[in-house]
Amino acid sequence: MRGARSAVLTVALAVLAGGLTACGSAGSGSDGGPSAAATASGGTVASPAVTSGAVAAGKAAATDPKAALAASAEVMRKAGSARYALSVPEGLEAEPGTGFANWATGPAAIEYLTDTPNAPIRVRVVGNEAYMGPTEQAAAGAGEQVFWVKTPFLMWRRPFYPQLAMAMDPVNQLTLATTGRLSAVGTESLDGAEVTHYRAVTDVAAVVGAIPDLTEEHRPHVEAALKKGGETYTLDFWLNAEQELRRFREFGANDGEARAVTVTYSAPGTAPTMTAPTRDNLRTSSDLNRFLPPSRATTGPGREAV
């Protein structure tokens, strides 16, 4: 299916465990996820102070894409985490959603929850391992405790997981871009603020190399999934005046811009730490089946994942 070909961001975003729900429910701190307090406000949190040196470097690099992206990589490295929103064109394997990404300490991690009201399933990716589990609200409604199911290796052959993995660590993507064919697209407006749009074009091998914590076992399958989108990928970056990465977009040469997956970052430095579920919180796939909507068995991280 052509919609499954926008592969890069899907691997990166497959890590959504306890993102924002329509009712404000969040992952449980007891299993290494965001606490309810961390997501209760649901709004944008002010970013931590950015060093004057990084800002100065970014302003000086306004006409030099490589220097601007390198400066942004340093700013985002110091931020270490962010909230994000995933935008997906209609017809792709993934669905729009929100969550958290944390790359401050290894391994990088991401959580994702679709924008569907009362979505029952959340996804978490930690390093090269992906997990699925019911949201707190869904688990409570079924009289269950929050638990997780580890997704099988074959899931990494699907575009959704490699795309999520790219969103896990924007520092890697910014650094990758500095090695590609660069251009400055121009100044634009994003949510009422002025941003500068930069573009890089690179090959699939470089894109795969920038996915954090990817094992040699997973690598050929992820590369094959990404090549469905094309032999080269275009990476777009929108930086604000503080050199923070506000938006990231990728698309393969075969798919084109109309099939791009977009990640919008906010509140850098405020996302909670996310860790792999403990052994006590892991169950078998049969325990998760009751939470999977039968009518959407192949959408996003659906029934095929377990």
Side-chain angles (χ1 to χ4, degrees), residues 14-218:
V15 186
L16 160 71
L20 307 178
T21 70
C23 298
S25 174
S28 168
S30 63
D31 63 357
S35 65
T39 61
S41 64
T44 300
V45 181
S47 306
V50 178
T51 63
S52 58
V55 173
K59 291 180 179 178
T63 58
D64 181 351
K66 184 173 183 178
L69 294 172
S72 182
E74 178 62 14
V75 168
M76 297 304 285
R77 183 189 67 79
K78 291 180 178 179
S81 68
R83 301 183 185 200
Y84 74 86
L86 177 65
S87 177
V88 182
E90 186 176 352
L92 291 194
E93 180 184 58
E95 293 186 4
T98 56
F100 300 97
N102 193 309
W103 56 90
T105 57
I110 190 168
E111 296 194 349
Y112 162 84
L113 185 68
T114 70
D115 287 341
T116 304
N118 301 315
I121 299 294
R122 55 181 179 163
V123 180
R124 173 179 296 176
V125 178
V126 181
N128 58 20
E129 300 291 351
Y131 307 87
M132 297 174 60
T135 62
E136 286 187 344
Q137 182 181 14
E144 292 267 14
Q145 297 293 317
V146 171
F147 66 88
W148 296 95
V149 174
K150 186 175 180 179
T151 62
F153 171 77
L154 63 86
M155 289 306 298
W156 288 89
R157 303 184 185 187
R158 296 177 63 192
F160 179 76
Y161 284 85
Q163 289 171 340
L164 273 185
M166 284 195 70
M168 283 167 61
D169 189 347
V171 177
N172 278 11
Q173 305 313 316
L174 288 159
T175 302
L176 164 65
T178 63
T179 67
R181 299 187 296 278
L182 298 172
S183 61
V185 179
T187 301
E188 302 173 12
S189 178
L190 178 61
D191 295 333
E194 184 177 287
V195 292
T196 303
H197 180 184
Y198 297 97
R199 170 167 289 182
V201 179
T202 189
D203 59 36
V204 167
V207 171
V208 173
I211 295 178
D213 304 302
L214 190 63
T215 66
E216 290 305 314
E217 182 183 20
H218 287 69

Side-chain angles (χ1 to χ4, degrees), residues 213-233:
D213 304 302
L214 190 63
T215 66
E216 290 305 314
E217 182 183 20
H218 287 69
R219 186 176 304 277
H221 301 289
V222 172
E223 185 167 354
L226 294 181
K227 282 186 174 180
K228 294 177 182 179
E231 291 291 336
T232 63
Y233 272 78

